Amino acid sequence: MSNPYAKLPAWAEYGLIPLINLVVAFLVAGLVVLLVGENPLKAAYHMINGAFGRGEYIGFTLYYATTFIFTGLSVAVAFHAGLFNIGSEGQAYIGGIGVALACLWLDKTMPWFIVFPVAMFGSILFGALWAFLPGWLQAKRGSHIVITTIMFNFIASSLMVYLLTRVLKPLGSMAPQTRTFAEGGQLPKLDWLLSIFGLDIGNAPFNISFLLAILAAFGVWVLIWRTKLGYEMRTMGHSPSAARYAGISEPRITIVVMMISGGLAGMMALNPIMGEQFRMQLDFVQGAGFVGIAVALMGRSHPAGIIPAAILFGMLYQGGAEIAFEMPAISRDMIVIIQGLVILFAGALENMFRPAIGRGFASFGQRFPVAAQRGA
Amino acid sequence: MNDIAIELRGIDKSFGLVHANRNINLTVRKGTIHGIIGENGAGKSTLMSILYGFYQADKGEIVVDGKVVTIKDPNAAIASGIGMVHQHFMLVENFTVLENVMLGAEDSQILNTSIAKARVELKRLEKEYALEVDPDALIEELPVGLQQRVEILKALYRRADILILDEPTGVLTPAEADHLFRILGQLKDQGKTIILITHKLREIMAITDEVSVMRRGEMVATRPTAETSVEELAELMVGRRVLLRVDKGEANPGPVKFSVKNLTVRDARGVTMVDNVSFDIRAGEIVGIAGVAGNGQSELLEAISGIRKAVSGSVDLNGTPIDMTGNADPRDLRNRGLAHVPEDRHHVGLVLKFEESENAILGYHHDKRYLNGVFLNIDAIRADAEEKIQKYDIRPPNARLRTANFSGGNQQKIVLAREMERGPDVLIIGQPTRGVDVGAIEFIHKRIIEMRDQGKAVLLVSVELDEIRALSDRILVMFAGRIVGEREPDATEGELGLLMAGVEGRKEAAE
Ligand SMILES: Nc1ncnc2c1ncn2[C@@H]1O[C@H](COP(=O)(O)OP(=O)(O)OP(=O)(O)O)[C@@H](O)[C@H]1O
Ligand SMILES: [Mg+2]
């Protein structure tokens, strides 16, 4: 009885429950749309069509998804060690410095496939360093990570304003951004990937950092479930007292995990900076770090769940922009409400329907014991 | 009038492939105390959870007071007059006794009037059943024995006529257990029906009227207690004769392997829990620490295994002095040959959410044979776990099952297998048989003695005085953080009892 809820088969746990949560979130969102006097079915149509209706739209959806995979993984890695890293936002922002420096240094002399790994290294380094500080403060000084990472988000934001208005801005320019990178600082698009499915990428900035994100997801899976460090992280995440008993050093794990988490967040910067804008702009993260929290929650902190969750949020972003464009009565803020509802039902209220589903399974099991047993 | 309180007919329950209850029939007579015993994992808790509405049976009927009822959740159980006292209490720590008792049973929307009513009712119950507790005391400030009393009051407050207690004495001191039994006797005299699950056959013999035995999911026998014996019950449970005495030869102590020197430990509030304690353990010797729970034994174990910082003191392990005031590292101690079976297997010795095989390497996960470089060698880890499952007869034999789904006794075997199979030089064991069935106790005791006979130094801490006396070669008695005396294992229970109560010790220390 350590688990208050009956155990469900895996497909229900990881498929059915998130699906039901999602459907309910959309139903409630539909009510909100009704409330402002618009047709929810029309909104749903624009949402789906805007996210998947054309090759170009799909490209945009996956472009956003790429960003959310990185930040989702960042939050998830920390979750596994029992740490709540709210600082992915700031770490991604600072990670951008690494990307920008690599590009500014090499873009005119080197091809993208040389610049890309250097920029990746830079993004990891800067993101990890930004996460190291809160990690160190918690490990050595006991300052809670939830508080410090929030504060570090603000510090990162001010620091970037300074850097982009004073240091990294080209002379004579009025915009708070770096110069535009030459060819070497621009990532190739994944048009060939979409064309396999007969889709045309159009203007969408869907680029090869998506493949890096998939690779990172696999890497995180290996880290968590197949390495000694991952084992130590999970022990600490589930039971700090058992970790102490096992001789696992809490300060060490805290610092290392925060750096890995920060590095993953930092990698997110590759996607907008080298994949879309070809320069570093103010506020290029645009809340992706916070979306990462929702993505990690919804994806159960498992890479195989984070990827679909990131695509879902990519769809909300891209499709949501389309709704706002097609249906002027529904503003951008409404889209944020819908996203909030998804987070609410998928994250905070994820157990709401579980008891009912568990009971459903129990009575199903009574009527069809053999089938239920095999399912379990 | 019908004199049957509860009848279970053909109850069947499976968890996936584990068939926890098979076609169980059970009749419990009104106004009796009915014992249920069985090996770890026999399905006792599952059966009671079905009766209390935590789980639904796959098949079968529950008859309460002659009527077939469906119990779909604990509320339905309470409505049928069934109350349960859980092994792990379900109380709100920072609520008062009164608030806990009425929680969820408030009979008016206006809290003030229901508090006043509840207070009157609680007073009445306390009088009627001699269950005194201060209604305004905070739960977290009460000792376990009293917390348990609150659980009983909670059930009575909800007008339970049938009370289920699942291993109620596991956490109690002997005196608290005696008191509980007096209360249960009184409840019975007032016409309540009690179902008692326990692993302690002595308790069964002392207070039950009838006893039912479960084995591997089946109900194998029901006997009037007066017509059975401890030996017969043990045999019915395990399916073979069980050695209830510990069979051990002469000790052959060698040189000192482990010594504790001037150890002082304070708890988080700064209260001294271990006060300048020193002792030695030789190779091939079992030293038992007897004492009433809460006299510093737990803190002593935690300090010498490196989990808790000491204020002062050191240990000598295999001839190496180790300072205990700094960051004595459990990993370092393990490498030097110290193994530790912690008292609290749920929070310290195991990670309940891990697979069995993952727990089988906890603390030893640096060992090269479980690793390929920085990667876990999953095959080696599982193979190793399978081997230990075989050797220690851990059931169900599934290294990939979540540890939380093993029964208590089997969880304990997982920890013991991990710590003993390493062949450590020094073995520290806290409460080795808490919540463990007689068959497993026999097995665990045999292993501990085997360790001794292989020349290991063993430190044993247990609140079970019988266990300490049966296994130890020397007994140290702890009271209020000090070692107040040393006795041979043939010292009488009375003599040790006086020391444990701090009566004799003071004299001895003064001399
Ligand atoms: N929720 C669950 N999921 C899967 N298996 C379970 C679950 N609960 C119990 N089991 C299994 O059912 C069997 C019976 O367990 P139960 O807890 O009823 O035993 P028990 O007789 O109370 O044992 P103990 O004396 O150790 O408390 C065990 O094999 C256990 O592993
Ligand atoms: Mg049990």
Side-chain angles (χ1 to χ4, degrees):
Chain A
M1 264 164 294
S2 57
N3 178 0
Y5 306 112
K7 188 155 166 46
L8 300 172
W11 65 267
E13 180 78 33
Y14 298 107
L16 188 62
I17 289 192
L19 191 71
I20 291 179
N21 287 332
L22 206 61
V23 168
V24 173
F26 280 118
L27 286 180
V28 177
L31 286 180
V32 176
V33 173
L34 263 183
L35 218 62
V36 296
E38 282 284 350
N39 181 351
L41 288 176
K42 212 172 117 202
Y45 167 77
H46 285 302
M47 164 81 73
I48 304 285
N49 186 53
F52 298 115
R54 265 203 260 154
E56 182 169 8
Y57 299 164
I58 293 178
F60 269 103
T61 299
L62 292 177
Y63 164 76
Y64 291 124
T66 305
T67 286
F68 301 148
I69 292 173
F70 284 121
T71 53
L73 290 173
S74 161
V75 176
V77 162
F79 266 160
H80 277 286
L83 299 170
F84 196 14
N85 178 13
I86 307 193
S88 300
E89 181 81 12
Q91 291 142 21
Y93 209 178
I94 296 295
I97 301 175
V99 179
L101 289 180
C103 291
L104 293 172
W105 174 39
L106 298 170
D107 65 334
K108 290 179 180 153
T109 50
M110 294 288 170
W112 71 268
F113 53 84
I114 304 286
V115 183
F116 187 45
V118 177
M120 182 181 100
F121 177 77
S123 67
I124 294 174
L125 184 73
F126 277 78
L129 280 178
W130 201 249
F132 165 80
L133 292 168
W136 184 85
L137 285 170
Q138 165 147 333
K140 304 287 176 193
R141 297 248 155 266
S143 328
H144 203 284
I145 251 167
V146 169
I147 310 291
T148 48
T149 49
I150 292 177
M151 299 197 315
F152 269 70
N153 286 341
F154 286 103
I155 301 173
S157 162
S158 311
L159 181 67
M160 292 300 277
V161 170
Y162 170 78
L163 288 176
L164 285 170
T165 52
R166 307 279 170 87
V167 185
L168 294 169
K169 180 179 72 76
L171 223 59
S173 157
M174 306 235 292
Q177 57 195 28
T178 62
R179 70 170 166 80
T180 303
F181 308 143
E183 200 122 316
Q186 307 189 0
L187 293 179
K189 289 190 184 180
L190 287 176
D191 41 0
W192 54 271
L193 186 63
L194 290 187
S195 68
I196 296 176
F197 303 97
L199 298 165
D200 173 21
I201 194 168
N203 279 326
F206 178 46
N207 63 79
I208 78 154
S209 48
F210 175 73
L211 299 182
L212 182 67
I214 302 291
L215 219 66
F218 179 71
V220 165
W221 178 81
V222 170
L223 169 72
I224 304 285
W225 282 284
R226 286 293 180 272
T227 68
K228 188 172 88 173
L229 177 62
Y231 177 85
E232 297 184 313
M233 286 166 54
R234 284 182 294 133
T235 304
M236 192 173 113
H238 288 312
S239 171
S241 47
R244 213 164 303 132
Y245 163 77
I248 295 168
S249 153
E250 197 166 332
R252 191 188 116 237
I253 299 288
T254 302
I255 293 174
V256 170
V257 168
M258 280 307 284
M259 290 180 71
I260 295 173
S261 175
L264 284 162
M267 277 157 89
M268 167 269 168
L270 293 163
N271 190 39
I273 295 181
M274 287 184 78
E276 193 207 1
Q277 298 143 4
F278 311 132
R279 58 187 167 228
M280 183 162 71
Q281 302 176 328
L282 216 52
D283 265 339
F284 70 87
V285 183
Q286 291 191 333
F290 300 117
V291 175
I293 298 172
V295 168
L297 274 175
M298 186 155 185
R300 302 303 194 91
S301 296
H302 193 294
I306 287 171
I307 293 174
I311 294 176
L312 173 77
F313 274 86
M315 175 192 112
L316 289 174
Y317 260 60
Q318 168 56 19
E322 207 62 23
I323 296 181
F325 181 75
E326 297 282 342
M327 303 167 74
I330 300 179
S331 66
R332 224 20 265 183
D333 300 330
M334 290 283 300
I335 308 301
V336 176
I337 291 179
I338 294 176
Q339 288 162 356
L341 285 168
V342 172
I343 296 174
L344 187 66
F345 282 96
L349 299 178
E350 69 161 1
N351 286 330
M352 193 161 75
F353 302 106
R354 184 181 295 263
I357 293 170
R359 271 199 296 280
F361 269 94
S363 67
F364 180 80
Q366 260 156 25
R367 260 170 288 151
F368 309 98
V370 185
Q373 198 156 341
R374 231 180 278 132
Chain B
M1 256 278 283
N2 183 350
D3 76 333
I4 307 285
I6 286 185
E7 195 182 345
L8 300 178
R9 294 182 190 149
I11 297 287
D12 219 272
K13 175 78 184 169
S14 297
F15 297 104
L17 295 176
V18 180
H19 206 157
N21 284 167
R22 293 170 203 257
N23 190 24
I24 302 268
N25 295 306
L26 173 70
T27 307
V28 179
R29 261 195 278 276
K30 257 188 207 154
T32 63
I33 301 184
H34 196 114
I36 296 185
I37 57 175
E39 283 183 285
N40 293 121
K44 308 177 295 291
S45 296
T46 304
L47 188 65
M48 291 305 117
S49 301
I50 289 172
L51 185 52
Y52 193 59
F54 263 122
Y55 296 136
Q56 305 299 306
D58 298 336
K59 276 205 276 273
E61 282 180 337
I62 300 174
V63 184
V64 179
D65 254 343
K67 284 188 289 287
V68 177
V69 292
T70 29
I71 300 182
K72 66 175 195 332
D73 55 26
N75 288 332
I78 290 160
S80 305
I82 301 172
M84 183 152 175
V85 175
H86 300 274
Q87 188 172 3
H88 303 281
F89 304 147
M90 307 214 168
L91 298 170
V92 183
E93 292 264 304
N94 52 0
F95 270 24
T96 64
V97 169
L98 184 65
E99 286 165 337
N100 265 288
V101 167
M102 55 182 294
L103 183 68
E106 304 89 347
D107 52 7
S108 145
Q109 288 300 324
I110 301 153
L111 207 51
N112 275 338
T113 60
S114 46
I115 289 178
K117 264 203 218 153
R119 186 180 294 276
V120 175
E121 172 69 6
L122 186 63
K123 276 268 171 278
R124 189 185 69 74
L125 288 172
E126 286 184 12
K127 266 237 187 64
E128 191 169 343
Y129 301 105
L131 280 164
E132 290 86 19
V133 245
D134 173 9
D136 299 313
L138 286 180
I139 293 297
E140 57 194 358
E141 287 165 4
L142 294 179
V144 243
L146 286 185
Q147 292 188 11
Q148 190 174 53
R149 227 176 267 181
V150 177
E151 283 277 16
I152 296 174
L153 280 168
K154 241 170 92 175
L156 295 174
Y157 185 79
R158 286 161 178 71
R159 308 213 157 68
D161 285 318
I162 301 159
L163 206 57
I164 306 169
L165 294 105
D166 194 350
E167 293 186 42
T169 56
V171 289
L172 301 185
T173 63
E176 285 173 328
D178 284 346
H179 197 127
L180 172 69
F181 291 149
R182 278 203 296 279
I183 292 169
L184 294 185
Q186 234 144 25
L187 289 171
K188 172 180 138 180
D189 293 342
Q190 310 258 6
K192 305 273 180 195
T193 307
I194 292 161
I195 301 179
L196 173 72
I197 299 180
T198 178
H199 284 296
K200 299 178 188 164
L201 297 178
R202 239 183 356 175
E203 297 175 352
I204 292 287
M205 299 311 287
I207 74 159
T208 62
D209 300 298
E210 277 185 300
V211 49
S212 296
V213 186
M214 290 184 75
R215 185 162 81 225
R216 304 205 176 187
E218 287 175 273
M219 194 58 90
V220 292
T222 297
R223 298 266 189 280
T225 309
E227 294 169 20
T228 186
S229 65
V230 170
E231 286 75 18
E232 187 196 19
L233 291 177
E235 194 172 336
L236 282 169
M237 271 167 71
V238 185
R240 62 175 165 86
R241 295 206 52 107
V242 180
L243 192 62
L244 295 168
R245 270 175 315 103
V246 177
D247 206 8
K248 90 175 190 229
E250 274 295 302
N252 227 332
V256 172
K257 276 259 163 186
F258 186 70
S259 34
V260 174
K261 293 181 177 157
N262 304 100
L263 191 75
T264 297
V265 184
R266 300 212 178 101
D267 70 2
R269 289 165 301 168
V271 179
T272 303
M273 296 306 288
V274 178
D275 192 358
N276 197 19
V277 163
S278 306
F279 60 88
D280 294 333
I281 312 175
R282 296 164 178 281
E285 166 181 66
I286 300 175
V287 172
I289 294 193
V292 177
N295 276 286
Q297 302 98 311
S298 306
E299 289 77 9
L300 173 69
L301 285 187
E302 286 175 5
I304 59 181
S305 57
I307 299 176
R308 187 190 275 271
K309 257 191 212 179
V311 178
S312 64
S314 63
V315 300
D316 245 31
L317 173 57
N318 265 334
T320 320
I322 301 166
D323 178 33
M324 285 292 158
T325 57
N327 290 323
D329 178 9
R331 180 179 167 190
D332 179 49
L333 291 167
R334 262 188 202 101
N335 288 340
R336 294 176 190 278
L338 180 114
H340 173 206
V341 177
E343 292 184 310
D344 182 347
R345 55 179 175 253
H346 278 175
H347 299 105
V348 181
L350 294 167
V351 178
L352 289 178
K353 287 196 174 156
F354 274 0
E355 283 179 8
E356 196 274 345
S357 66
E358 290 175 301
N359 271 312
I361 62 168
L362 188 70
Y364 300 98
H365 54 280
H366 300 286
D367 191 322
K368 292 235 165 23
R369 74 178 138 141
Y370 302 133
L371 300 173
N372 286 325
V374 297
F375 297 101
L376 299 174
N377 183 345
I378 302 277
D379 290 337
I381 292 171
R382 289 202 186 130
D384 189 78
E386 303 280 354
E387 204 176 290
K388 288 179 184 144
I389 286 174
Q390 289 297 323
K391 193 158 173 192
Y392 283 76
D393 188 27
I394 294 166
R395 276 181 259 164
N398 178 358
R400 302 215 47 195
L401 189 69
R402 224 177 218 242
T403 308
N405 291 342
F406 284 90
S407 67
N410 283 298
Q411 288 172 349
Q412 183 70 338
K413 285 191 193 173
I414 297 172
V415 180
L416 285 163
R418 181 182 70 212
E419 300 302 321
M420 288 183 163
E421 282 306 288
R422 283 274 141 177
D425 295 320
V426 178
L427 179 65
I428 300 176
I429 313 181
Q431 318 299 347
T433 55
R434 185 179 270 173
V436 170
D437 69 52
V438 282
I441 288 178
E442 180 194 21
F443 176 87
I444 291 168
H445 285 175
K446 256 199 204 142
R447 291 272 150 174
I448 293 176
I449 289 171
E450 256 172 51
M451 296 291 282
R452 179 197 78 169
D453 292 342
Q454 289 165 16
K456 320 289 188 198
V458 181
L459 178 66
L460 172 75
V461 171
S462 173
V463 289
E464 300 289 331
L465 198 49
D466 288 344
E467 181 164 57
I468 294 274
R469 291 174 64 213
L471 289 176
S472 310
D473 299 313
R474 274 193 295 140
I475 300 176
L476 304 175
V477 182
M478 228 174 144
F479 174 75
R482 290 162 177 263
I483 305 252
V484 291
E486 181 177 330
R487 291 289 183 274
E488 294 297 308
D490 51 15
T492 64
E493 199 161 324
E495 190 182 352
L496 291 169
L498 283 177
L499 273 175
M500 285 163 64
V503 181
E504 281 293 308
R506 246 171 265 145
K507 259 192 272 163
E508 210 163 293
E511 272 164 22

